[in-house]
């Protein structure tokens, strides 16, 4: 019987036949796919023909279909619908894949052919896109260690394999801590909680088989519990469990893993001639240097901390008015901030949520994409990897553009957070292929499912990433969609969040779950008026995490990351009642892989651009200005990594942005 992961998929739009794939198919399929890819690479490296762009660079750009199918399916389910078997496979696959791809960059014969094409680039008649692909390919080989010899070469391969294993273990430890902890609630413990939190707690209790409501470490449940529960003792218990993920001792403790990862990254950078990992990592980003990153973060930090300290004084006064003496603690902040928001803006999250139905917010994100870019979305009835998933065909002018899959609900088999991935990326070489894009979120289930304002922003954010994938229009897969500098990739996603705040969008799609009535004008004005509420807190918790990430990598690797974390927080004057958004033992952005290592700042770097970019719409004809939308697609959303991101932004806006628009947008600009 043939392995469904290796056969040609005769399905609508060649979507993976999830209903035909079992966990037992993955290991044999991967071995066969890796063998096929090795044969493909060996043929390129050992060709007797003189090296040229077509038989070296384009040959490398030709995807190994079997390998793309296996990895596309496996990493989709490993992140969004894990189980013990898939976790075991992930631990097995990580070093195997690291060794495979390391062997490619370490292949001396292949590197010599790439270098030969690079050296003759001036004589080749290449398009601008081909020149970019050649530069990125050559640079990738050099940064991957292709020029290393002897013991240094061997050590580089060892480091890559070990880092892959450690990243997988970090992720699985975190998932285990999040999956295993829950706090049972009695009926009395539910007092004071809004109905949507009670429903979410009961649903979580059913999933856990607890026989009653529970609080879990899913952000969509624990955050509103911390906002609304009047029980300070229960808030403290829940918060401490949330803060302790990855640091509970025993087999799931991530602290030693983080230390080893940092030491290996430093060694890797030094093997390549860089003084530290941050210098290595940032060389290819828009920021270029650690100094530029720290400069931006500290400029924002000072304004954010000043605002947070003012807010802390107000919240402390509210707490003391409740008869609680002593310091405002981290488990108090969200509770009193919510009370303050209700008092100052007369905005109650429990009253707001019925207007933010998940299905209506999905409709809103689609409708904005239709008005801006002419995209249309038609539901697809196809087998997917979990019953919660749903799919749409994306078209424009009747022509197929992409398949979009949404997986929105929290479950214990899914890692926390939200993300966008592509099971297949857009490309025109060696043949045209349309993307299959997935948005994964962790919203609380309900009937109907209701979102918080932050949830709705997350939905728009991830759909912005999806648009970057779906509207990609390049020749080569390696520069398609979100294959861009890390501090540029968040621009489309953060920019798209702005359309959630457009009044006419809310007027149409923010309708009450029971009555169907549109959000009252008074509430709409309150929502938009409170958009920057508690922004000091939000900015402090984020920037603190980014500064710690930078400090970890911009200098000698700390032997004790927790001590280094505490040192950085003391140095910048971290407010007592606020903690890092992601403390080291659960900082998956940084330790699950290299993606955001020395790069967590990139959300802020991109926000400088997204604030300025949306201002371009406002300065023109408004949020749906056709000319600005066309320019956004032409210069940013369709171009992938085909040009330097700074050049792309200047082509869209006419100049690079400053930090002023960001501070103004966050309400942190000096009066």
């Amino acid at each position: 019987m043939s392995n469904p992961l290796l056969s040609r998929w005769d399905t609508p739009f060649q979507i993976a036949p999830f209903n035909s794939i079992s966990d037992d198919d993955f290991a044999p399929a991967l071995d066969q796919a890796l063998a096929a890819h090795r044969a493909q690479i060996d043929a390129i490296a050992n060709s007797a023909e003189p090296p040229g762009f077509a038989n070296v660079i384009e040959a490398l750009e030709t995807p190994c279909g079997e390998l793309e199918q296996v990895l596309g399916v496996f990493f989709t389910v490993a992140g969004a619908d894990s189980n013990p078997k898939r976790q075991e496979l992930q631990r097995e696959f990580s070093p195997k894949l690291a060794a495979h791809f390391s062997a490619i960059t370490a292949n001396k014969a292949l590197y010599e052919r790439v270098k030969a094409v690079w050296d003759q680039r001036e004589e080749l008649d290449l398009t601008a896109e081909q020149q970019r692909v050649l530069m990125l390919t050559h640079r990738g080989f050099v940064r991957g260690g292709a020029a290393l010899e002897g013991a240094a070469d061997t050590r580089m391969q060892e480091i890559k394999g070990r880092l892959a294993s450690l990243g997988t273990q970090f992720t699985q430890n975190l998932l285990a801590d999040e999956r295993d902890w829950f706090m049972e609630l009695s009926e009395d413990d539910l007092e004071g909680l809004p109905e949507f939190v009670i429903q979410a707690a009961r649903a979580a209790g059913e999933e856990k088989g607890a026989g009653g409501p529970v609080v879990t470490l899913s952000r969509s449940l624990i955050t509103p519990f911390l906002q609304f529960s009047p029980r300070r003792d229960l808030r403290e218990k829940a918060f401490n469990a949330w803060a302790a993920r990855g640091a509970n001792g025993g087999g799931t403790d991530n602290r030693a893993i983080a230390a080893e990862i940092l030491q290996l990254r430093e060694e890797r950078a030094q093997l390549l001639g860089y003084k530290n990992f941050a210098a290595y990592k940032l060389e290819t980003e828009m920021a270029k240097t650690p100094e530029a990153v720290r400069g931006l973060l500290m400029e924002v930090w000072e304004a954010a901390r000043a605002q947070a300290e003012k807010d802390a004084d107000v919240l402390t006064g509210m707490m003391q008015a409740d008869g609680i003496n002593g310091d405002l603690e981290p488990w108090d902040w969200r509770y009193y901030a919510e009370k303050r928001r209700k008092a100052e803006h007369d905005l109650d999250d429990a009253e707001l949520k019925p207007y933010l139905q998940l299905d209506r917010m999905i409709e809103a994100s689609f409708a904005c994409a239709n008005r801006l870019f002419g995209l249309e979305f038609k539901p697809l009835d196809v087998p997917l990897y979990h019953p919660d998933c749903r799919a749409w065909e994306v078209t424009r002018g009747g022509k197929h553009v992409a398949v979009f899959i949404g997986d929105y609900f929290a479950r214990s088999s899914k890692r926390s957070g939200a993300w966008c991935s592509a099971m297949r990326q857009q490309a025109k070489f060696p043949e045209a292929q349309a993307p299959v894009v997935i948005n994964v979120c962790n919203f609380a289930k309900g009937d109907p499912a209701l979102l918080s304002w932050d949830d709705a922003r997350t939905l728009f954010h991830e759909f912005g990433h999806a648009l970057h994938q779906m509207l990609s229009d390049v020749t080569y897969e390696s520069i398609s969609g979100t294959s861009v500098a890390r501090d540029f990739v968040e621009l489309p996603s953060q920019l798209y969040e702005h359309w959630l705040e457009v009044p006419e969008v809310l007027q149409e799609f923010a309708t009450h779950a029971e009555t169907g009535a549109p959000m009252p004008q008074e509430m709409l004005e309150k929502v938009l008026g409170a958009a920057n509420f508690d922004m000091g807190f939000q900015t402090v918790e984020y920037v603190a995490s980014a500064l710690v990430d930078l400090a970890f990598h911009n200098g000698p690797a700390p032997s004790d990351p927790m001590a280094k974390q505490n040192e950085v927080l003391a140095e910048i004057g971290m407010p007592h009642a606020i903690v890092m958004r992601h403390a080291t033992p659960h900082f998956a952005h940084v330790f699950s892989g290299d993606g955001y290592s020395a790069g967590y700042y990139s959300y802020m770097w991109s926000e400088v651009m997204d604030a300025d970019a949306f201002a371009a719409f406002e300065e023109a004809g408004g949020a749906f200005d056709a000319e600005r939308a066309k320019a956004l697609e032409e210069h940013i959303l369709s171009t992938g990594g085909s040009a330097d991101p700074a050049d792309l932004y200047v082509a869209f806006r006419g100049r690079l942005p400053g930090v002023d628009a960001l501070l103004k947008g966050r309400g942190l600009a000096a009066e």
Side-chain angles (χ1 to χ4, degrees):
M1 186 175 175
S2 62
N3 191 313
L5 287 162
L6 299 173
S7 59
R8 179 173 175 80
W9 294 339
D10 186 19
T11 56
F13 311 107
Q14 288 80 53
I15 298 173
F18 288 104
N19 56 342
S20 302
I21 298 168
S22 77
D23 288 347
D24 292 334
D25 294 323
F26 286 116
L30 181 64
D31 287 341
Q32 192 171 327
L34 289 176
H37 195 220
R38 274 193 296 270
Q40 180 180 333
I41 295 300
D42 288 345
I44 301 169
N46 301 322
S47 172
E49 296 179 7
F53 187 83
N55 66 9
V56 178
I57 306 304
E58 285 194 326
L60 287 170
E61 286 289 328
T62 303
C64 175
E66 297 98 325
L67 189 58
E68 287 206 337
Q69 288 188 174
V70 174
L71 296 185
V73 173
F74 179 73
F75 283 114
T76 294
V77 298
D81 192 25
S82 189
N83 60 34
K85 175 65 173 177
R86 291 169 186 173
Q87 290 184 337
E88 178 187 338
L89 289 170
Q90 203 169 3
R91 291 191 293 271
E92 176 189 330
F93 289 176
S94 292
K96 187 180 289 189
L97 289 168
H100 175 78
F101 289 109
S102 293
I104 295 174
T105 52
N107 187 318
K108 302 305 178 190
L110 180 59
Y111 172 59
E112 288 305 317
R113 289 179 68 79
V114 170
K115 187 174 184 300
V117 181
W118 173 251
D119 289 343
Q120 60 176 310
R121 63 191 181 280
E122 299 298 337
E123 288 79 54
L124 302 175
D125 184 21
L126 301 179
T127 66
E129 186 177 334
Q130 289 173 329
Q131 292 173 29
R132 177 78 173 172
V133 169
L134 173 57
M135 183 278 289
L136 292 172
T137 302
H138 177 260
R139 187 177 75 181
F141 270 85
V142 173
R143 287 171 59 83
L148 297 177
E149 302 285 352
D153 185 23
T154 301
R155 180 58 181 154
M156 178 62 79
Q157 309 318 313
E158 294 171 350
I159 289 172
K160 289 181 179 179
R162 181 63 178 156
L163 282 171
S165 296
L166 291 170
T168 297
Q169 190 61 53
F170 188 98
T171 303
Q172 293 189 354
N173 287 347
L174 179 55
L175 178 63
D177 277 5
E178 291 176 343
R179 180 189 61 229
D180 294 345
W181 187 91
F182 60 89
M183 179 175 70
E184 295 186 24
L185 301 175
S186 69
E187 291 300 313
D188 289 344
D189 296 336
L190 300 176
E191 188 176 342
L193 296 177
E195 186 59 31
F196 76 87
V197 181
I198 295 173
Q199 285 185 9
R202 294 195 192 282
E206 286 181 22
E207 188 196 8
K208 297 293 184 187
V214 303
V215 173
T216 68
L217 297 183
S218 169
R219 186 180 292 273
S220 63
L221 179 50
I222 194 167
T223 298
F225 181 80
L226 292 170
Q227 276 181 286
F228 292 107
S229 175
R231 288 283 301 277
R232 194 180 191 220
D233 58 330
L234 297 182
R235 296 200 311 266
E236 180 178 4
K237 182 178 178 181
F239 179 87
N240 285 336
W242 174 247
R245 291 169 297 149
N248 288 306
T252 62
D253 198 296
N254 276 333
R255 287 172 287 192
I257 293 175
E260 187 178 353
I261 286 173
L262 293 174
Q263 289 160 6
L264 289 172
R265 284 178 181 163
E266 180 185 27
E267 185 180 356
R268 176 182 174 187
Q270 290 177 346
L271 282 171
L272 294 170
Y274 296 86
K275 63 180 181 179
N276 56 52
F277 186 80
Y280 160 77
K281 185 68 181 294
L282 293 170
E283 178 185 52
T284 59
E285 306 297 333
M286 283 186 74
K288 304 301 183 191
T289 68
E291 292 72 26
V293 172
R294 183 171 173 81
L296 168 68
L297 293 174
M298 289 307 298
E299 190 171 354
V300 176
W301 172 260
E302 296 301 338
R305 184 181 63 175
Q307 183 60 52
E309 287 174 342
K310 291 179 187 175
D311 292 339
D313 290 341
V314 175
L315 301 185
T316 300
M318 294 173 66
M319 185 179 76
Q320 290 174 348
D322 279 351
I324 301 171
N325 295 318
D327 293 331
L328 183 76
E329 299 292 347
W331 49 88
D332 297 317
W333 190 293
R334 288 177 175 85
Y335 178 71
Y336 284 101
E338 179 61 29
K339 291 182 73 171
R340 181 186 182 189
R341 181 171 74 147
K342 189 173 181 180
E344 294 184 1
H345 297 277
D346 193 20
L347 186 60
D348 185 339
D349 211 31
E351 294 177 9
L352 173 62
K353 284 191 83 163
Y355 290 97
L356 300 176
Q357 300 175 68
L358 171 60
D359 286 350
R360 295 293 280 153
M361 291 299 102
I362 294 171
E363 287 181 50
S365 67
F366 289 175
C368 292
N370 176 262
R371 290 186 64 181
L372 290 164
F373 311 114
L375 299 179
E376 297 182 327
F377 299 81
K378 178 183 176 183
L380 280 177
D381 184 13
V382 292
L384 298 168
Y385 60 87
H386 192 278
D388 286 346
C389 298
R390 47 185 126 166
W392 294 265
E393 182 192 6
V394 187
T395 59
R396 179 156 60 181
K399 182 181 177 183
H400 179 74
V401 172
V403 170
F404 175 66
I405 298 171
D407 179 2
Y408 296 108
F409 296 124
R411 54 181 175 268
S412 59
S413 63
K414 184 189 289 186
R415 64 180 170 89
S416 62
W419 64 92
C420 175
S421 60
M423 291 186 65
R424 183 173 63 241
Q425 290 186 282
Q426 178 273 329
K428 300 175 186 174
F429 177 89
E431 60 185 15
Q433 63 181 34
V436 176
V437 186
I438 306 178
N439 274 177
V440 184
C441 300
N442 271 283
F443 303 142
K445 261 190 174 178
D447 185 20
L450 304 178
L451 305 183
S452 68
W453 185 250
D454 283 346
D455 287 340
R457 288 177 70 97
T458 296
L459 187 145
F460 269 70
H461 177 101
E462 297 306 332
F463 194 70
H465 281 308
L467 288 172
H468 202 182
Q469 295 276 20
M470 293 189 285
L471 292 173
S472 178
D473 186 23
V474 298
T475 303
Y476 301 103
E477 190 174 317
S478 68
I479 55 169
S480 175
T482 56
S483 300
V484 300
R486 181 63 61 179
D487 51 10
F488 191 67
V489 76
E490 297 298 338
L491 168 59
S493 55
Q494 293 180 184
L495 175 58
Y496 204 64
E497 291 179 30
H498 289 273
W499 274 271
L500 174 62
E501 298 180 355
V502 174
E504 62 188 282
V505 174
L506 289 173
Q507 287 163 351
E508 182 174 357
F509 294 100
T511 56
H512 198 278
E514 294 179 6
T515 67
M519 182 182 289
Q521 182 65 27
E522 183 183 8
M523 179 180 285
L524 189 150
E525 291 171 1
K526 289 174 185 174
V527 168
L528 298 180
N532 285 325
F533 179 75
D534 214 24
M535 194 55 75
F537 170 88
Q538 294 178 41
T539 309
V540 160
E541 63 165 4
Y542 164 77
V543 175
S545 296
L547 285 166
V548 168
D549 166 44
L550 184 66
F552 278 160
H553 297 98
N554 188 29
S559 57
D560 183 349
M562 299 305 293
K564 182 66 175 178
Q565 170 186 299
N566 294 337
E567 175 190 319
V568 173
L569 297 180
E571 177 188 318
I572 62 176
M574 184 73 169
H576 170 75
I578 306 179
V579 299
M580 292 167 62
R581 183 171 298 177
H582 304 289
T584 299
H586 54 259
F587 207 161
H589 281 79
V590 170
F591 293 108
S592 290
D594 274 357
Y596 283 90
S597 53
Y600 192 62
Y601 77 92
S602 59
Y603 291 94
M604 187 66 70
W605 192 274
S606 294
E607 190 176 341
V608 170
M609 290 182 285
D610 85 61
D612 182 66
F614 193 70
F617 279 86
E618 294 177 317
E619 292 163 10
F624 293 100
D625 182 76
E627 186 178 327
R628 287 290 83 202
K630 181 180 178 182
L632 180 64
E633 179 178 355
E634 178 182 350
H635 297 299
I636 293 175
L637 295 178
S638 70
T639 49
S642 61
D644 183 273
D647 294 339
L648 293 174
Y649 190 83
V650 170
F652 165 72
R653 189 65 163 113
R655 55 166 174 75
L656 288 172
V659 75
D660 296 346
L662 178 145
L663 292 175
K664 181 181 178 182
R666 283 184 168 243
L668 300 174
E671 293 294 334

